[in-house]
């Protein structure tokens, strides 16, 4: 039995008619850039999150970049963030000449360790940028409170993996000054290419982001600021609109499947990323922490079970960022990076998780037997 790591095919079959209809509508009206589906999607997502403004953009990376630009980040500024994330989080900081300041993570959730945040703040701190990793929001209330004490430092939630998650009665992407998400195909709400969105309830920030995404124009051929080509294609917006029709069901399924996985891992005695009781996770990845990772990956592969590692090397240990970033000691990130392993996860994965559980159990028994034999 061979199973997909992210099952986009089953999702497409369930939504095929609506997706095709949405695509055909775009082909008929021919407005491939900033067509009516763009404004429709922004309105729908604004209502969904509760944020006043949604600005769709060309990728989750550009969502972060445009947000930093809108907040005036430049050379010499410091942005406090986590090293245990995808490179885009730090990449956009460095592209603007700013300095990523990496602090360690909570060993249970793998999100930024809020107890280390204040020690990292200096007179040069311009932004605090936590990542809502694996689909679970960071400790946003605590982060916002610290930011407020130090002169109302803006907070950008890198919510590339957590769109759809709840945090203390609010939605991810509407928890701070700005929230940014990604519609990369494998994300909880994905398109069929690149796409992303910026969320804010600040009118001035929203207007600035809208201008930056269209080459800094306040109106056609009137450039008021430096910008970039950061628009989300109409076709991709149409696809996300089609996927929204069953998104609530998908979020519920992700939570249910994640809960089932949790029970299975606890039964096997496998350490896992933990979820806090005051928030939900949309399980962009389902991640465990194990020893003998490479051996287990090979054994699971033989059983047709794909795996992935998110992320094998913290950013402050990557060759390029050693020269650009500042890091307080981050031993948890280093240790976790050597043990994390992500298992197949999709809203349509309920029929395969027993196979994954059985395969993991057998693989663990095999590794344990080999370890005993080598003693």
């Amino acid at each position: 039995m061979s199973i997909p790591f992210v099952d986009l095919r089953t999702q497409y079959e369930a939504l095929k008619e609506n997706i095709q209809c949405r695509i055909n509508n775009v082909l008929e009206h021919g407005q491939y850039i900033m067509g009516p589906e763009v404004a429709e999607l922004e309105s729908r997502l604004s209502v969904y999150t509760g944020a006043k403004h949604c600005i769709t953009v060309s990728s989750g990376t550009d969502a972060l970049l445009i947000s930093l630009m809108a907040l005036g980040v430049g050379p010499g500024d410091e942005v406090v963030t986590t090293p245990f994330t995808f490179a885009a989080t730090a990449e956009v900081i460095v592209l603007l000449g700013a300095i990523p300041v990496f602090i360690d993570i909570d060993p249970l959730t793998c999100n930024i360790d809020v107890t280390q945040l204040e020690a990292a703040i200096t007179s040069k701190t311009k932004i605090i940028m936590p990542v809502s990793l694996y689909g679970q929001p960071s400790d946003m209330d605590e982060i916002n409170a610290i930011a407020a004490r130090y002169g109302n430092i803006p907070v950008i939630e890198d919510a590339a993996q957590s769109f759809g998650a709840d945090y203390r009665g609010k939605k991810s992407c509407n928890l701070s000054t700005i929230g940014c998400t990604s519609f990369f195909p494998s994300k909880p709400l994905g398109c069929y290419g690149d796409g992303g969105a910026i969320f804010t309830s600040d009118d001035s920030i929203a207007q600035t982001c809208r201008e930056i995404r269209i080459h800094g124009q306040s109106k056609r051929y009137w450039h008021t600021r430096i910008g970039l080509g950061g628009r989300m294609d109409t076709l991709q917006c149409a696809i996300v609109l089609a996927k929204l029709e069953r998104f609530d069901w998908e979020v519920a399924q992700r939570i249910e499947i994640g809960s089932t996985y949790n029970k299975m891992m606890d039964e096997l005695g496998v350490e896992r990323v933990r979820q806090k009781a005051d928030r939900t996770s949309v399980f962009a990845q389902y991640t465990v922490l194990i020893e003998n990772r490479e051996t287990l990956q090979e054994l699971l592969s033989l059983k047709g079970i794909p795996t992935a590692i998110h992320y094998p090397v913290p950013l402050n240990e990557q060759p390029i960022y050693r020269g650009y970033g500042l890091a307080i000691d981050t031993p948890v990130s280093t240790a976790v990076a050597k043990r994390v392993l992500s298992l197949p996860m999709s809203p349509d994965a309920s029929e395969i998780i027993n196979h994954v559980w059985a395969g993991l159990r057998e693989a663990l028994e095999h590794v344990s037997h080999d370890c005993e034999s080598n003693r």
Side-chain angles (χ1 to χ4, degrees):
M1 181 181 181
S2 181
I3 61 176
F5 185 72
V6 178
D7 189 358
L8 294 178
R9 184 70 198 183
T10 299
Q11 182 194 57
Y12 171 68
E13 291 296 336
L15 293 166
K16 185 174 183 177
E17 184 176 346
N18 198 10
I19 289 172
Q20 292 294 344
C21 181
R22 282 284 187 175
I23 290 173
N24 287 339
N25 287 342
V26 177
L27 296 177
E28 288 293 331
H29 66 58
Q31 298 177 54
Y32 302 115
I33 303 296
M34 299 303 289
E37 287 79 6
V38 176
E40 182 184 356
L41 180 61
E42 290 177 347
S43 177
R44 293 275 299 274
L45 296 181
S46 177
V47 170
Y48 181 86
T49 60
K52 187 175 180 181
H53 302 282
C54 170
I55 303 97
T56 54
V57 293
S58 47
S59 68
T61 304
D62 282 346
L64 294 173
L65 179 61
I66 291 170
S67 296
L68 291 172
M69 292 171 69
L71 293 172
V73 173
D77 290 332
E78 293 179 357
V79 179
V80 182
T81 191
T82 167
F84 193 64
T85 180
F86 184 59
T89 306
E91 187 174 56
V92 292
I93 299 168
V94 173
L95 283 170
L96 295 176
I99 301 165
V101 178
F102 299 113
I103 63 174
D104 214 351
I105 58 172
D106 176 354
L108 298 179
T109 66
C110 294
N111 279 332
I112 198 167
D113 184 352
V114 71
T115 66
Q116 298 190 26
L117 179 54
E118 287 192 76
I121 295 174
T122 72
S123 60
K124 296 180 180 179
T125 303
K126 186 80 171 184
I127 304 289
I128 299 170
M129 193 156 70
V131 177
S132 295
L133 198 71
Y134 297 144
Q136 176 179 206
S138 291
D139 296 324
M140 297 303 294
D141 283 354
E142 291 84 351
I143 292 167
N144 289 332
I146 292 169
R149 286 203 298 273
Y150 285 84
N152 292 317
I153 300 169
V155 176
I156 299 174
E157 181 195 13
D158 181 344
Q161 300 177 18
S162 61
F163 188 85
D166 293 324
Y167 173 85
R168 298 178 180 175
K170 298 181 71 175
K171 289 290 186 186
S172 179
C173 292
N174 185 30
L175 304 175
S176 54
T177 315
I178 296 176
C180 296
T181 199
S182 168
F183 301 130
F184 187 79
S186 61
K187 293 296 191 286
L189 181 61
C191 56
Y192 289 156
D194 276 315
I198 299 165
F199 297 86
T200 184
S201 291
D202 185 297
D203 295 344
S204 177
I205 291 173
Q207 183 59 31
T208 302
C209 289
R210 289 191 181 100
E211 292 176 12
I212 291 172
R213 76 167 169 182
I214 310 181
H215 302 285
Q217 296 178 97
S218 59
K219 59 183 179 180
R220 190 167 174 81
Y221 295 128
W222 191 253
H223 302 269
T224 54
R225 61 186 77 249
I226 300 298
L228 50 89
R231 299 161 299 201
M232 186 169 170
D233 296 340
T234 307
L235 277 167
Q236 299 300 344
C237 288
I239 289 162
V240 176
L241 281 166
K243 288 192 174 189
L244 271 176
E245 298 307 314
R246 79 164 196 163
F247 186 59
D248 285 341
W249 177 86
E250 290 191 358
V251 169
Q253 285 295 108
R254 284 180 174 275
I255 293 170
E256 182 178 335
I257 293 166
S259 178
T260 301
Y261 258 143
N262 284 345
K263 293 173 184 175
M264 290 176 170
M265 296 308 127
D266 291 346
E267 183 177 332
L268 289 172
V270 173
E271 189 177 347
R272 56 182 172 83
V273 174
R274 298 280 168 169
Q275 293 78 45
K276 293 193 172 182
D278 60 353
R279 66 205 71 175
T280 61
S281 175
V282 288
F283 293 99
Q285 291 86 29
Y286 186 86
T287 304
V288 298
L289 295 94
I290 55 175
E291 308 297 336
N292 302 303
R293 183 171 63 189
E294 288 71 23
T295 301
L296 280 167
Q297 280 190 290
E298 292 174 7
L299 292 171
L300 290 172
S301 179
L302 291 173
K303 298 178 183 297
I305 300 171
T307 56
I309 301 171
H310 305 99
Y311 299 91
V313 182
L315 295 185
N316 57 318
E317 297 177 21
Q318 298 280 355
I320 188 63
Y321 292 109
R322 290 177 197 155
Y324 282 110
L326 300 174
I328 298 171
D329 194 27
T330 58
V332 178
S333 297
T334 299
V336 164
K338 295 174 181 177
R339 299 180 60 218
V340 288
L341 185 69
S342 295
L343 302 173
M345 182 66 186
S346 303
D348 298 291
S350 56
E351 294 184 4
I352 59 93
I353 56 175
N354 284 328
H355 178 65
V356 175
W357 176 80
L360 183 58
R361 182 191 61 201
E362 291 177 17
L364 288 168
E365 289 174 351
H366 187 280
V367 170
S368 177
H369 181 267
D370 283 352
C371 289
E372 289 293 330
S373 299
N374 292 329
R375 284 184 180 179

